[in-house]
Amino acid sequence: MATFSSFLTIGPHGLNLGATESCKFSVVAGYLCKSKMGQSLQRIDVGRKLLPGDIVQNATPPPWSLDLRCFATSRVSVEQTDQSFTKTSQVDELKKLSTFLFSTEIGGQVKVFVGKTSTKYVVDIEVSSLQLSSDDRQLVLSGGLYRSDRDIKNMIIETPFIARSSSELALELEFEAKEVPCYFSFLLKASSGANSNGSEIRSQRKSSFCVPIGFDQGYPAPLGLSFSADGSMNFAVYSRNADSLVLCLYDDKASEKPALELDLDPVVNRTGDIWHVSIESAWTFVSYGYRCKGNRGTFHAERVLLDPYAKIIGSSTPNHHESGLLLKHLGRLLKEPAFDWSGDVFPNIALEKLVVYRLNVMQFTEDKSSKLPADVGGTFSGVTEKMQHLKDLGINAVLLEPICTFDEQKGPYFPCHFFSPTNLYGPSNGSISAINSMKGMVKNLHANGIEVFLEVVFTHTAVGGALQGLDDLSYYHKNGIEDLEARNALNCNHPVVQQLILDSLRHWVTEFHIDGFCFINATCLLRGFHGEHLSRPPLVEAIAFDPVLSMAKIIADCWDPYDMIQKKMHFPHWKKWAEMNTKFCTDIRNFLRGEGALSSLATRLCGSGDIFSDGRGPAFSFNFVAKNFGLPLVDLVSFSNAELASEISWNCGEEGPTSKTAVLERRLKQIRNFVFILYISQGIPVLNMGDECGQSSGGSLSYGSRKHLDWNAMTTGFGIQTTKFISFLSSLRKRRSDLLQKRNFLKEENIEWRGSNQSPPGWEDPSCKFLAMTLKADEAEDQLNSEASDLKGDLYIAINGADKAETIILPPPPEGMTWCRLVDTALPYPGFFSVDGKPVREQLMGLVAYEMKSRSCTLFEACNDGS
């Protein structure tokens, strides 16, 4: 039995006999060996104890030992077994025995057993059927330990084998538990009397024999970090083009350098393109990452990379190998915290009944005006605290801007990771608190009938993101398409990237109970390996048919965070994918500033049949008039300089802030018009955070110009009347769901289009800016509905986009009913909307005439006469 307590080390420039910065072991000059046959212990001296700078006589490593990292690629098989071998030495029973089988270059086999006692690791080596020459009198093992190219523990082990039988030789070694995990790399020497050095015998592929000690080869699935029942941790990561991969383990969250680096053997620790390893003693470490090395220029051997599948991420630290420009994120060696989901039920709200509110978690409540504690404001818990505001608006779904770890300089649309919420949104900026806070938010929102959607960005990553440097040729577009390469564009339809995206989505649904996803820059999901457009992209189709995602809402958004523009697209949907309706936004903005066509307005009011009549319906149209990029709603009616031409805005007569009453009244009316059309159109209204209280970016298009939500603005006159108006419209949509919340398109007989005097609309007249429509209740549908008494009346909607007043003639109401005015955006608050409605009586020859002011909208409902 040979016991080794310390090592010589090979540093960057050769043999180092002293202590180094990366080596914590002292140098001892001897070891013990014992045969398998039970012979007594022998001490074989190789010199005295060494001090730094001493020279070791007869301990100069042979040439092969300078390359201890040669891997045993000739291994025939590797298997895990529960068997143990019997020894005459008085040691504890071996546990977790691993067996490795090699063939040698001259025939014969080398079998290596690795086992563990309570305090030590035992390596048993058996050599059989080795064809030696008649001059070879003795077989000697020569080897050493290493962990990585930075941490080579060079033990000069020279010890003979003992004959177990005429054809079998054996040797047993012991290692202290503190010396592992590591690799034991060795070769055989056949010595004769004439040649004391002997001839070297290597593996069948001319390399050293190599086995892991203190860790197992691990498993290729699942990817990421996983925990076994016995306490060991399995690491698995994809990298097809890396020549080697190093697992870096840290014992201090603030440490810049890993406490241990383990170079993974491409034979023992690689299956296909998956590198994997399982470590028993990793409990002393707190975080981990990887270094990838290869001959291609896409690998940076010194950069420590985040595991793409890490579920818990530590705080970022500067990566000094990148001149401090990039932050280094590390995965935490922790199980995901348990969470009590008991009682949680997915709301499963029908698509057509959704009313969505988009928000940024931090900006929603971080401002002091939210009056929340400092550790709650700007977090997921802050959203929970302000849930009543969402309910007051009639919201039943929140759409969160990307919440994964992101580039803090560029914002949430430049992600670094896809499996965990950013620590910034946790009460203590910690990973565990962020996870628990988010799950608590989801559970509370669900309990109040509110679904949670996430905006996700899978088309690119931030510089230095989790995938960069791991295998760029697989994960990214690296095919000479400059615009894609410059954007760190992910190769979304590559099988490995597709699997990562699907695994991420499933993780959010199963672990965080997320109800839906909005895919930013969705046009890039349609690109193939070489940037070409795919009519049937595998990823989009896989998402549509994935069983775990079957109940989730799936939305495509063609906004590009790089160009800050909406891109046109025809999106394949498989009757699953909904879309953020950019045409709705464009056409409504155009019409309200006096330039759009009546036909375009009509198409948007009825659910955008030009987009969604392909087997879907208006419920797949997520409508918006303002988003979290570009101009917010109040700025759409306040700024329209040349630099904002793409925004299709109108300043209502004066640029920027003003004190002119006429301009202010016109702006207020236009804001009401936008909100009104958004809510009475077929499709799903999406309201943007801050638009309910007049949040402004000062006319800037920059995302960074977006301010934290000022809760004091909710108590201003504008904030009060706008929030009440939105609440009224939400209630109206719910009450008149028969006409305003349709999954399918309205029947032709349920819509009548009219001009101001009941004549046909001026479809062909570009100067005509008035359009009215009557939505007729379906009598057959009413009779089947248990709440038929609430669904009998027709709705009359009129929109005047002209800069002049119009006298409209309402159509005759159904028999026994009269028209009640619910909305007139030109009237002063509080009279411009009414929950009960104000009856409008006949005025001329049995007809009802009503004067509409310029640039205004009205809504009438047929009510029971005298009700």
Side-chain angles (χ1 to χ4, degrees):
M1 182 78 68
T3 302
F4 305 93
S5 58
S6 53
F7 317 98
L8 302 176
T9 65
I10 294 179
H13 304 292
L15 184 64
N16 182 355
L17 300 180
T20 68
E21 185 178 9
S22 60
C23 177
K24 300 179 181 179
F25 301 95
S26 61
V27 182
V28 176
Y31 54 84
L32 301 175
C33 77
K34 188 172 80 72
S35 74
K36 291 273 296 186
M37 304 302 293
Q39 276 110 334
S40 60
L41 290 172
Q42 296 176 297
R43 183 174 181 83
I44 303 177
D45 290 322
V46 296
R48 58 187 174 81
K49 184 174 182 179
L50 299 175
L51 297 175
D54 285 356
I55 299 176
V56 185
Q57 186 177 5
N58 299 326
T60 303
W64 70 268
S65 67
L66 292 177
D67 188 21
L68 294 178
R69 298 175 57 258
C70 294
F71 297 121
T73 54
S74 62
R75 177 173 54 84
V76 175
S77 64
V78 179
E79 58 180 299
Q80 303 291 332
T81 173
D82 294 330
Q83 73 182 85
S84 62
F85 52 88
T86 305
K87 309 195 292 110
T88 56
S89 56
Q90 296 179 357
V91 296
D92 296 336
E93 181 182 357
L94 290 175
K95 301 176 182 178
K96 303 199 87 173
L97 187 67
S98 299
T99 305
F100 304 87
L101 182 63
F102 304 86
S103 294
T104 76
E105 59 186 337
I106 63 172
Q109 292 184 337
V110 176
K111 184 179 291 186
V112 183
F113 302 90
V114 180
K116 180 184 179 183
T117 69
S118 59
T119 60
K120 299 179 180 180
Y121 284 83
V122 177
V123 178
D124 185 77
I125 305 170
E126 296 179 355
V127 180
S128 60
S129 304
L130 194 64
Q131 302 298 318
L132 300 175
S133 66
S134 58
D135 294 334
D136 294 329
R137 299 179 179 179
Q138 190 177 44
L139 186 67
V140 177
L141 178 144
S142 181
L145 299 181
Y146 78 89
R147 286 172 175 164
S148 73
D149 56 357
R150 296 184 180 185
D151 189 17
I152 299 178
K153 312 295 184 182
N154 182 22
M155 274 199 274
I156 310 305
I157 303 172
E158 295 278 351
T159 184
F161 283 85
I162 304 298
R164 174 180 287 177
S165 66
S166 59
S167 61
E168 186 176 89
L169 303 172
L171 178 67
E172 188 175 287
L173 308 174
E174 277 188 359
F175 300 91
E176 297 292 337
K178 66 180 181 180
E179 314 289 12
V180 299
C182 59
Y183 287 99
F184 180 45
S185 181
F186 65 93
L187 51 75
L188 308 178
K189 286 186 177 182
S191 63
S192 62
N195 183 6
S196 58
N197 290 330
S199 59
E200 296 177 351
I201 303 172
R202 303 175 187 274
S203 70
Q204 189 177 32
R205 294 188 179 180
K206 314 298 182 184
S207 62
S208 301
F209 306 96
C210 178
V211 296
I213 302 176
F215 66 98
D216 294 326
Q217 65 187 102
Y219 306 96
L223 289 170
L225 172 67
S226 56
F227 294 82
S228 302
D230 61 2
S232 63
M233 291 189 276
N234 190 77
F235 302 82
V237 64
Y238 172 91
S239 184
R240 182 175 191 174
N241 293 293
D243 294 332
S244 61
L245 190 140
V246 180
L247 173 64
C248 305
L249 297 169
Y250 294 76
D251 56 8
D252 185 347
K253 289 186 288 186
S255 176
E256 293 184 8
K257 295 183 178 180
L260 183 146
E261 290 188 332
L262 195 62
D263 216 329
L264 303 191
D265 187 322
V267 175
V268 177
N269 301 110
R270 182 171 181 171
T271 302
D273 298 326
I274 308 295
W275 299 77
H276 47 81
V277 62
S278 177
I279 298 181
E280 303 172 20
S281 56
W283 291 108
T284 58
F285 303 105
V286 297
S287 55
Y288 73 103
Y290 296 100
R291 288 195 297 117
C292 287
K293 292 172 284 184
N295 294 325
R296 301 175 184 265
T298 59
F299 293 101
H300 302 276
E302 301 301 317
R303 182 188 297 173
V304 179
L305 306 172
L306 173 65
D307 178 4
Y309 276 78
K311 304 303 189 299
I312 304 176
I313 301 179
S315 300
S316 58
T317 59
N319 193 334
H320 292 289
H321 291 301
E322 301 294 332
S323 303
L325 296 177
L326 298 178
L327 293 178
K328 177 175 64 181
H329 298 275
L330 297 174
R332 296 288 306 280
L333 292 172
L334 295 171
K335 293 182 179 180
E336 289 187 83
F339 185 81
D340 181 12
W341 284 108
S342 60
D344 183 64
V345 178
F346 286 83
N348 286 329
I349 300 170
L351 199 59
E352 66 273 13
K353 297 187 181 298
L354 291 174
V355 179
V356 181
Y357 185 91
R358 181 193 284 103
L359 63 88
N360 176 287
V361 172
M362 179 176 289
Q363 294 179 350
F364 189 53
T365 61
E366 191 172 50
D367 192 83
K368 292 182 179 179
S369 61
S370 68
K371 297 181 181 180
L372 296 178
D375 62 339
V376 175
T379 70
F380 295 113
S381 300
V383 177
T384 303
E385 293 296 320
K386 293 296 184 179
M387 182 168 49
Q388 188 58 48
H389 175 66
L390 301 174
K391 296 174 69 175
D392 290 343
L393 291 173
I395 302 299
N396 57 20
V398 292
L399 174 60
L400 306 184
E401 289 185 15
I403 50 87
C404 294
T405 302
F406 58 84
D407 184 333
E408 294 177 27
Q409 298 298 318
K410 290 191 173 183
Y413 292 96
F414 296 86
C416 297
H417 197 59
F418 303 110
F419 284 88
S420 62
T422 175
N423 298 348
L424 297 174
Y425 297 166
S428 59
N429 286 345
S431 50
I432 300 299
S433 67
I435 290 172
N436 287 331
S437 177
M438 181 175 177
K439 291 180 177 180
M441 175 199 71
V442 172
K443 185 175 182 180
N444 276 286
L445 290 174
H446 281 181
N448 285 271
I450 300 175
E451 294 192 336
V452 181
F453 303 157
L454 300 183
E455 285 189 335
V456 288
V457 183
F458 290 118
T459 55
H460 60 270
T461 64
V463 176
L467 302 176
Q468 281 193 330
L470 195 60
D471 190 349
D472 290 3
L473 294 177
S474 295
Y475 287 112
Y476 292 90
H477 283 287
K478 294 291 181 182
N479 44 29
I481 304 178
E482 294 184 3
D483 69 317
L484 294 181
E485 290 191 23
R487 296 171 177 224
N488 305 309
L490 287 174
N491 192 357
C492 297
N493 286 294
H494 186 286
V496 171
V497 183
Q498 175 181 324
Q499 187 63 43
L500 179 142
I501 293 172
L502 286 170
D503 287 342
S504 171
L505 297 173
R506 294 166 185 152
H507 176 71
W508 290 110
V509 170
T510 57
E511 295 298 324
F512 290 84
H513 292 201
I514 296 301
D515 303 280
F517 303 93
C518 180
F519 292 74
I520 301 299
N521 201 16
T523 49
C524 284
L525 300 179
L526 311 182
R527 290 192 170 188
F529 284 22
H530 304 288
E532 75 279 13
H533 179 85
L534 302 176
S535 59
R536 191 169 183 173
L539 173 62
V540 174
E541 184 173 8
I543 292 172
F545 291 100
D546 189 273
V548 178
L549 306 177
S550 60
M551 299 302 293
K553 279 79 171 179
I554 306 296
I555 311 157
D557 189 340
C558 64
W559 176 61
D560 183 347
Y562 275 94
D563 293 334
M564 299 289 288
I565 60 173
Q566 295 280 355
K567 292 184 176 179
K568 295 181 180 180
M569 64 175 176
H570 177 71
F571 205 86
H573 55 81
W574 287 277
K575 298 183 179 181
K576 173 68 174 179
W577 284 80
E579 296 179 37
M580 283 289 173
N581 192 345
T582 304
K583 285 188 174 181
F584 180 93
C585 175
T586 301
D587 288 343
I588 300 306
R589 289 186 183 186
N590 252 327
F591 188 83
L592 288 182
R593 73 173 185 172
E595 297 182 6
L598 289 185
S599 57
S600 297
L601 174 63
T603 301
R604 304 307 153 220
L605 291 172
C606 291
S608 299
D610 56 335
I611 304 174
F612 300 102
S613 60
D614 55 355
R616 290 180 287 180
F620 288 82
S621 174
F622 280 67
N623 302 329
F624 65 95
V625 292
K627 292 188 71 173
N628 51 344
F629 60 89
L631 295 178
L633 180 57
V634 72
D635 288 0
L636 276 178
V637 300
S638 304
F639 298 90
S640 55
N641 57 63
E643 296 179 357
L644 302 175
S646 62
E647 291 297 295
I648 319 176
S649 58
W650 179 50
N651 62 21
C652 296
E654 184 168 329
E655 188 72 5
T658 183
S659 58
K660 294 182 179 179
T661 303
V663 175
L664 292 174
E665 289 179 350
R666 198 176 298 128
R667 290 177 179 178
L668 179 59
K669 196 163 44 173
Q670 286 288 77
I671 289 174
R672 295 173 179 175
N673 293 339
F674 273 117
V675 174
F676 174 77
I677 295 175
L678 176 66
Y679 273 77
I680 58 90
S681 296
Q682 299 296 311
I684 313 306
V686 180
L687 187 68
N688 201 53
M689 180 189 80
D691 285 346
E692 73 271 33
C693 62
Q695 192 89 350
S696 171
S697 67
S700 172
L701 300 180
S702 170
Y703 180 86
S705 298
R706 288 296 172 115
K707 301 175 183 177
H708 291 69
L709 184 59
D710 181 4
W711 288 88
N712 291 329
M714 302 291 180
T715 60
T716 64
F718 175 85
I720 292 172
Q721 62 175 281
T722 305
T723 52
K724 287 186 176 181
F725 185 41
I726 292 171
S727 177
F728 160 77
L729 291 173
S730 295
S731 299
L732 175 68
R733 282 180 61 86
K734 184 176 181 180
R735 181 172 65 82
R736 295 311 309 265
S737 59
D738 61 316
L739 295 176
L740 300 178
Q741 293 182 335
K742 302 289 290 184
R743 189 171 187 87
N744 300 313
F745 288 102
L746 289 164
K747 301 174 184 177
E748 188 174 350
E749 58 267 24
N750 292 124
I751 306 178
E752 282 187 358
W753 299 103
R754 291 284 182 260
S756 60
N757 58 359
Q758 288 297 299
S759 62
W763 300 118
E764 306 300 327
D765 184 358
S767 65
C768 183
K769 301 302 174 186
F770 179 90
L771 182 65
M773 68 174 180
T774 303
L775 300 181
K776 296 186 175 182
D778 192 319
E779 295 181 3
E781 196 172 297
D782 288 347
Q783 293 174 0
L784 297 175
N785 197 303
S786 60
E787 300 179 1
S789 59
D790 295 330
L791 302 175
K792 289 182 179 179
D794 298 344
L795 295 179
Y796 179 84
I797 300 164
I799 301 171
N800 181 17
D803 200 18
K804 62 178 182 179
E806 289 279 358
T807 299
I808 60 173
I809 304 298
L810 277 68
E815 185 176 355
M817 308 187 81
T818 186
W819 289 114
C820 293
R821 188 192 70 225
L822 299 182
V823 176
D824 184 344
T825 60
L827 297 178
Y829 176 77
F832 77 93
F833 69 92
S834 172
V835 174
D836 299 324
K838 183 177 180 180
V840 181
R841 300 300 178 184
E842 296 178 2
Q843 297 172 345
L844 181 64
M845 300 176 60
L847 299 176
V848 176
Y850 188 85
E851 182 180 3
M852 283 186 68
K853 303 294 185 181
S854 63
R855 302 186 184 277
S856 66
C857 300
T858 57
L859 169 65
F860 298 86
E861 182 179 21
C863 304
N864 292 324
D865 198 3
S867 62

